[in-house]
Amino acid sequence: MEIIDKWVAEFLIRCQHNPRVSPTNLLSALRFGDSGDCLKLKVSSVLLDLSDSLTRGSVDEGTLDLLEILEKLLLQQRSVITESHKSAYCWTAAECTLRFMWPLDPLDGLFTDALERIWTKRIGFLKENGSGLVSDELLKWETDLKKAVEDPEMYQRIRESNIRYTAISFLNQLLKEQRGLLGSSSLESVAQRRFRKRKAENNVEGDGVRGNEVPNAVDESTRRLASDNTERGTCEGDNENRNNRDVDGVGCPENDGIDKVNEQLAAEEEGTMGSQEQEHESSLDKGDKMAARELKDYLLEIQRQIDPSTRQVQEPNNAFDHSVNVTPQPSKVNRTGTSGQDHIETPDNASEKGSSSQGTWSGRVRPRLSSPVPLNVSPLKKTNSPVRRPKKFWTPEEVEALRAGVKEYGKSWKDIKNANPAVFAERTEVDLKDKWRNLVR
DNA sequence: CTAGGGATATTT
DNA sequence: AAATATCCCTAG
C-alpha cells in the first residue's frame, strides 16, 4: 500500500501545475519515512514548491527556507551541493535584504533588521552547522552588506543593482539541474521495465502456461489505448489541457532534454547486461512512452475517482471495465488442483463466497465499490507469471554496495536495499540474500 | 522478512 | 557432468 501511496504522491508531485495539490502538505499528510524513495519524493516536492514560488514571481525568505531544506535532503541523499545551489542561496539572501533598502538612508528603514534576521541569525546558524551553502560568495556579500550600513556609497551601489535577476537565474539553473538529477520517475522506470518484460514475453510467445484467466487490467488498457486512441480522446473534456501537457512524459515538462539523457544512460547500463535488448533499442523509446502513458492514464483515473470534480462522463470505458462488478458471474476459473499455485484471488472468488454464505442477500444486487484492479505493476514482486525475470548479472557497483550494506546492517537485506534504493532498484531482498550466499561460498 | 532448497541457464 | 550464477518458492 505504501508503494501505491508513493507512486500516487510522486505522480501528483510531478504532474505540475495542479493547483489543488500542495506538495508539502501532501507529503506531510502521507507521513513518509526517510528511505531513499521518500527522500526523492521530498526533493521533488521542494523543487515543485520552488518552481511554484518562481512562477508566482516571489523570491523571498520562504525561498531561503526551501533552499535550506533542499540542502538537508540532498545531504541525506549523500548528494553534493552544487554551485548553482550555493549561488542561488547567496543571491536570494541578497535579494531578500535588498528589498529593505528602499530608504535613502540605511538606518531609516528595516534594513538593519533584515541584516540581523537574515545574515546574523539565519546565516550564522548555517555557519555553526557547517552548511555547504556558506560559500565565499556569500561571505563576500555579508561583509559588503554590513559595510553598507556605514558606507553610503556602498549602500547606494547595492541598492541600485539588479540582484533579483541573478537570483532568479540561479534558482532556475538549480531547478533544472536537480530535476535532471532526479531522472525519470519510478513510474517511468517501471513502465520501461514492464515494456521490456512484455517484449521478452512476446519474443517467447509460445503462450506457454497462460492458463489463468485473470485479465491484467493494465495490459488490457494498453491494447485499448493502442487501438482506439482517438475514441479515448473524445471523453477527456476539460481535462484536455492537463493531458496534453503531460503527454510529453511523466516527468517535468521543461526537462525533456535531461530526462532523455538519463533514460539513455539507464538504457545503456541495462544494455551491458541485457545484450539481446540492443536490437530493439529504437522501438523501445516509442514503446516506453506508450507504457508510461498507459500507467499515467491509470493514475489519472484514480485521481478522478478520488476527486469528483475531475470525474468525466466515462461510461463506455467504465462499462467495459467494471461489468464484472455488477452481474455476478459464474467463476470460470477452474482451479487446476495441481499444486499450491492457486493464489489467484479473483473478484469472482469473493462473490462466490459471498453468495454461498450469505443467503440473506438473496435476489438483491449488493452495491459494491469497484473492485481493485490487480495492479500487477511492480516487476520485482512475485508475478504469478510463467515468465522468469531475465537473468541480470551483478555489477561491481552492486556487489560493493552489498558488501558495505552487510558490513553496516548485517543480514537485514531489506535494510540494505532501503539504504541504497538506487543501486538495488532492480534487486529484491531475496536477490541480495542469494548474491551474498554466492559471495561467501 | 529471512533462510534454505530447488529450478533454470550458462560456463567449465 | 559438474560448477556456477541467478531467479523462484515456501516454511517458519
Side-chain angles (χ1 to χ4, degrees):
Chain A
M1 197 56 211
E2 201 178 312
I3 292 181
I4 305 281
D5 278 356
K6 282 181 192 159
W7 279 23
V8 173
E10 186 183 46
F11 173 70
L12 292 177
I13 287 171
R14 290 204 177 210
C15 171
Q16 297 192 9
H17 319 292
N18 184 342
R20 270 189 304 279
V21 181
S22 157
T24 25
N25 290 349
L26 179 69
L27 288 186
S28 62
L30 290 172
R31 269 178 296 174
F32 286 140
D34 268 340
S35 79
D37 289 357
C38 300
L39 280 176
K40 215 172 149 185
L41 266 181
K42 289 177 184 169
V43 172
S44 314
S45 104
V46 172
L47 293 183
L48 182 52
D49 268 349
L50 264 180
S51 79
D52 273 353
S53 67
L54 275 185
T55 41
R56 280 197 315 271
S58 58
V59 176
D60 51 26
E61 284 165 60
T63 316
L64 289 178
D65 287 336
L66 287 174
L67 289 172
E68 286 166 19
I69 295 172
L70 183 61
E71 188 210 5
K72 271 190 209 143
L73 292 174
L74 291 177
L75 284 181
Q76 279 182 57
Q77 252 185 8
R78 293 178 214 164
S79 310
V80 282
I81 305 302
T82 60
E83 287 307 313
S84 60
H85 193 163
K86 293 177 192 170
S87 299
Y89 188 86
C90 167
W91 287 84
T92 305
E95 161 67 16
C96 290
T97 323
L98 180 76
R99 65 180 48 176
F100 295 101
M101 297 171 80
W102 44 268
L104 281 173
D105 183 329
L107 298 177
D108 255 1
L110 298 167
F111 175 55
T112 48
D113 290 350
L115 263 187
E116 170 75 14
R117 186 176 64 249
I118 297 171
W119 296 87
T120 310
K121 285 199 182 138
R122 183 190 280 268
I123 293 176
F125 187 72
L126 288 189
K127 284 181 192 161
E128 271 173 41
N129 291 304
S131 162
L133 294 177
V134 183
S135 57
D136 293 344
E137 203 180 13
L138 188 79
L139 295 175
K140 173 92 174 30
W141 266 109
E142 185 182 4
T143 49
D144 282 359
L145 283 168
K146 289 195 168 159
K147 210 190 290 173
V149 181
E150 276 124 35
D151 181 348
E153 204 177 307
M154 176 80 87
Y155 182 81
Q156 285 309 323
R157 223 181 52 224
I158 297 176
R159 187 169 170 268
E160 283 159 14
S161 58
N162 191 351
I163 296 173
R164 189 185 172 80
Y165 173 81
T166 316
I168 290 180
S169 305
F170 278 122
L171 284 168
N172 270 318
Q173 195 184 329
L174 171 68
L175 276 177
K176 229 176 181 167
E177 240 171 52
Q178 291 300 331
R179 282 184 184 148
L181 289 175
L182 276 179
S184 34
S185 67
S186 52
L187 207 55
E188 278 174 308
S189 316
V190 168
Q192 283 166 19
R193 290 204 288 269
R194 280 178 58 77
F195 176 72
R196 292 207 185 92
K197 193 172 139 197
R198 200 153 45 220
K199 200 96 192 175
E201 269 173 293
N202 285 342
N203 282 344
V204 186
E205 195 56 321
D207 227 335
V209 207
R210 223 173 225 300
N212 57 354
E213 285 284 331
V214 187
N216 186 335
V218 186
D219 279 350
E220 208 50 60
S221 74
T222 334
R223 251 172 272 140
R224 238 186 304 140
L225 217 144
S227 55
D228 53 17
N229 216 345
T230 44
E231 187 181 289
R232 202 181 165 76
T234 57
C235 57
E236 277 176 359
D238 60 20
N239 259 349
E240 201 158 277
N241 285 335
R242 184 173 45 198
N243 282 341
N244 279 344
R245 184 165 41 236
D246 281 344
V247 160
D248 299 335
V250 188
C252 341
E254 304 115 286
N255 248 15
D256 253 10
I258 302 175
D259 270 5
K260 278 256 168 56
V261 173
N262 277 339
E263 273 172 37
Q264 206 76 44
L265 286 176
E268 264 170 43
E269 191 188 327
E270 205 75 38
T272 56
M273 342 262 111
S275 71
Q276 87 268 56
E277 273 149 28
Q278 296 282 326
E279 47 185 319
H280 306 302
E281 208 60 28
S282 55
S283 62
L284 199 137
D285 213 329
K286 215 165 70 186
D288 279 353
K289 285 220 163 131
M290 185 81 100
R293 202 185 307 174
E294 148 203 329
L295 278 162
K296 190 165 29 181
D297 269 357
Y298 182 71
L299 281 176
L300 274 173
E301 185 71 43
I302 294 179
Q303 199 185 2
R304 266 183 232 124
Q305 302 273 348
I306 298 170
D307 183 355
S309 67
T310 54
R311 189 175 289 159
Q312 294 299 303
V313 202
Q314 278 226 332
E315 286 326 312
N317 279 339
N318 275 342
F320 182 81
D321 276 337
H322 303 305
S323 57
V324 188
N325 299 333
V326 193
T327 54
Q329 290 180 343
S331 139
K332 50 178 168 180
V333 190
N334 266 335
R335 305 283 146 81
T336 47
T338 43
S339 60
Q341 230 262 52
D342 50 0
H343 30 278
I344 321 181
E345 279 307 330
T346 56
D348 293 338
N349 185 19
S351 73
E352 199 176 59
K353 244 193 274 174
S355 60
S356 64
S357 63
Q358 310 207 10
T360 40
W361 281 96
S362 59
R364 265 158 77 188
V365 180
R366 202 163 12 145
R368 277 221 248 143
L369 289 176
S370 50
S371 57
V373 195
L375 223 195
N376 220 353
V377 272
S378 170
L380 293 182
K381 293 290 174 196
K382 62 175 175 190
T383 53
N384 253 0
S385 139
V387 187
R388 246 174 112 91
R389 198 155 48 109
K391 188 166 176 168
K392 196 185 166 223
F393 285 94
W394 278 65
T395 65
E397 191 197 1
E398 286 173 317
V399 174
E400 218 14 76
L402 178 60
R403 288 219 161 89
V406 173
K407 206 173 265 180
E408 187 173 350
Y409 298 96
K411 294 186 174 183
S412 313
W413 313 116
K414 182 183 149 67
D415 291 336
I416 298 176
K417 181 171 155 71
N418 284 340
N420 239 338
V423 180
F424 296 129
E426 316 220 18
R427 304 286 179 193
T428 67
E429 293 107 345
V430 177
D431 289 334
L432 303 195
K433 179 216 64 181
D434 285 337
K435 182 59 184 177
W436 187 250
R437 182 166 55 175
N438 273 344
L439 286 175
V440 295
R441 253 211 280 255

